[in-house]
Every structure is written in C-alpha cells, then in structure tokens.
Amino acid sequence: MTSNAETMTRDNELGGGAAITAVAAMIAVLFAGSTALTPLYVIYKQAFGFSQITLTLVYAVYVVGNLGALLMFGRLSDIIGRRPAALASMTIAVVSALLFLFAENVAWLDVARILSGLGIGIGAGTGTAWLAELIAGDDKSRAATIATGTNFVGLGLGALVSGLLAEYAPWPLRLTFAAYLAVLAVVTVLIWRTRETFARPGRLADVSMQPRLSVPGAIRARYVAPAVTGFGAMALVGFYAALAPSILAQQLHATSHAEAGSLFFELSIVAAATILATTRFSSRATMLAALVLMIPTVALVVAAQFFASMPIMIAATACCGVAAALGYRGGLQVVNQIAPADRRAEVVSAFFICCFCGNALPVIGIGLLSSWTSATTASLAFAGMITIFSLVALGFGAKYAR
C-alpha cells in the first residue's frame, strides 16, 4: 500500500472517498432502522392486539431516546473521538434490532424504539461532525448536504425494504430485523476501519451528563420562525411514518405492506432530491417556501382521505417530501446563522428538540383524536394545527428573518 493511496491510510484504515462513504452509510443505516417498523405497525397491531393510540405511542417513544442522546451525549464524540462514539451508536442499534427480532409484546417494542432513538441521536451528530472533518477544503456545507441527504435515503430504504419483505417473504416481523442486523454488521466493520479525525480523544469519564439548553434573549424573536418550521417539517414526516399505513388500509383500502413502504420511500427520496437540488437557495427563502408549502400539503392529505383517492395521496406525499426537506434544511441553516458563535451548539440542540417534539407530539394527538372520532377528522385537526403554525412562523419569518 503506497503512502499516497486515495482510499486507505498507512495504518490500513479507510480514508478519502471510502471513509466518507462509510460514514454516510452509517447515517443511512441508522435512520433506516427507525422506519423499518412503518409497514409493520399494522401487523404488530394485529399480532399483539393493541389499539391505535398504543401504536402511536410506540412510534412516539422513539423521541425519548433522541432527547436522551441530545441532552446527555451531545458532546460525546467531541471528547472520546468520532470512531468510538460511532461504534457506540452502532452497538446500541444492534441491541435495538435484537429486541425487535425477538419482541413478544409492546414493552419490547417500546424499549427497542427508545434504544433506536438513542443510537440515532448519538450517531447522526457524530457522523455529521466526522464528515465535515473528512471532506477536504472549506466546503463544509457539503457535509451537511451528505448528512441530511443520506438521512432521508436511509429513512426511505428502511420502509421500502421492510414493506417488500413483509408482503412477499415469510416471517415479516423476524426477517426484516435479521436482514437489518446483517447490514449493521457490515457497516460496523467499515466504521471500525474508518480513519479517526479527532486529534486527542479523551476519556468517557470526561463526558458531562448535565444538560444545558436555552435560546439567548437577543435572538428569540428571530428564532421562532425556524423553530416552528422544524417542528412542522418533522410533524409531517412523523404523520407519514406512524399513521399513513393505517390510513391506507382503512380509508384508501390499500392493505399491501409494500404499498405502505413505497409511500414513505417516495416521501424520503423526494426529500433527498430536494435537498440536493436546492443547495444554492438562501436559507431564509428555503424556510419560508417550506412554510408556504405545508398548507397545501396537509390539505391534500385530508382530501386523499375524504375522497379515498390514491393519486391524491401520492401527490400529497410528494409535496410532503419537498416541504419536509426545505423546512428541515432551511430552519437549521437560519438557526446556524443567527446563533452566537459561543453558544451555537446549544442553540442548534434546542432546534433539534423542536424537531423531535414535532415528530412525536402531533402523532400522539392524532392517535388520541382518531380513537374518539374518525381518522379523517383527526387528520383535519392536524391540518388545522400545521396551517396555524405555518402562518405564525411566516409572520415571524417575514418580520425578523434576515
């Protein structure tokens, strides 16, 4: 092995493009684990005999792990190094997948979902920082583009492959996670061989478990628009990930698990393509465009249920993918711009909390409403909430965003 080899270092570690690919694959495979359940929720509901509200809680409890990672382990890779933190996140993902593989009741699913959220919370932040250090030159926006793009690709592939296996292969609740464990094993080996970029790793004992999150008073008015945008964008994603399969089965009479997985795959691929196609758009324009697009998106979702129309649902899904991508990227960029340099990590973490809450809280509300009334009425309430939030954020964004 020569000293100027492009993909390997002297220590036989992955470097260059191979290292970037390995870290991107880690981000994708971690997020794939979060949506592998999307086509399986209906099967779990029948197998374990739980209600619609229990289903939504199984989905939403994932955020507990996300928040735990953000509040307690947000700086983990800044202390112990990128590779050890990444390997820790992969180990947690393996334990989560094993719990899903052998799940016998709802409690198993809850614990597995929490661990999945914890692993993703650690791995996503670590992977994004690692990519920024692996990419040569000053174009660090490329790292954010790769991280967010592979995020959505992983979400889509997890749902698609799970749906196909559930529909056309035996043992749908076992085979999906057996295959996922095999992929995790391969990616873990790649990460173990990937070049460490952190110069002086410390000890695990140096990691502080004390959370500290706040938004400086000087930027709070300007912070409202991106925070609400992130909340709304992830609420749309959560709606599709948790509830779309049930809507397809009950209102649109589409019972194929492959169709449920394909619908979320459409959303994710549209989102990833949108991120790549809009890299030159300004952060403010991107954020405001997302807020405007959220209103017709939720209107299409309600219309698809009311008219029991699959073509309208497909159109709504595409709009959702665009709105979610623009909202997530635009909101994050605005927050990065307005945050004081000495408190940027803290302010960005607060933004991610808004995103995680958006991903879970509306889904729980819709689940409760749908147990008391019709699914269409619950979706109408969701559409009203998103519309109000979008209008409020548009007002703050037009006045304060720069």
Side-chain angles (χ1 to χ4, degrees), residues 1-43:
M1 186 66 68
T2 62
S3 60
N4 60 352
E6 182 177 347
T7 59
M8 303 290 287
T9 68
R10 288 183 180 179
D11 296 326
N12 204 35
E13 294 178 331
L14 294 177
I20 294 171
T21 301
V23 176
M26 178 194 74
I27 294 173
V29 76
L30 285 172
F31 278 98
S34 73
T35 53
L37 263 72
T38 296
L40 306 181
Y41 282 126
V42 174
I43 305 177

Side-chain angles (χ1 to χ4, degrees), residues 311-371:
I312 296 178
M313 193 66 176
I314 292 172
T317 304
C319 287
C320 179
V322 175
L326 295 179
Y328 180 70
R329 187 175 70 81
L332 180 56
Q333 286 180 336
V334 170
V335 167
N336 268 322
Q337 289 169 0
I338 67 175
D342 61 337
R343 297 183 64 181
R344 181 167 285 114
E346 184 180 359
V347 174
V348 169
S349 294
F351 171 80
F352 283 134
I353 284 184
C354 293
C355 292
F356 293 149
C357 290
N359 196 240
L361 296 180
V363 170
I364 296 174
I366 298 171
L368 286 170
L369 277 176
S370 62
S371 66

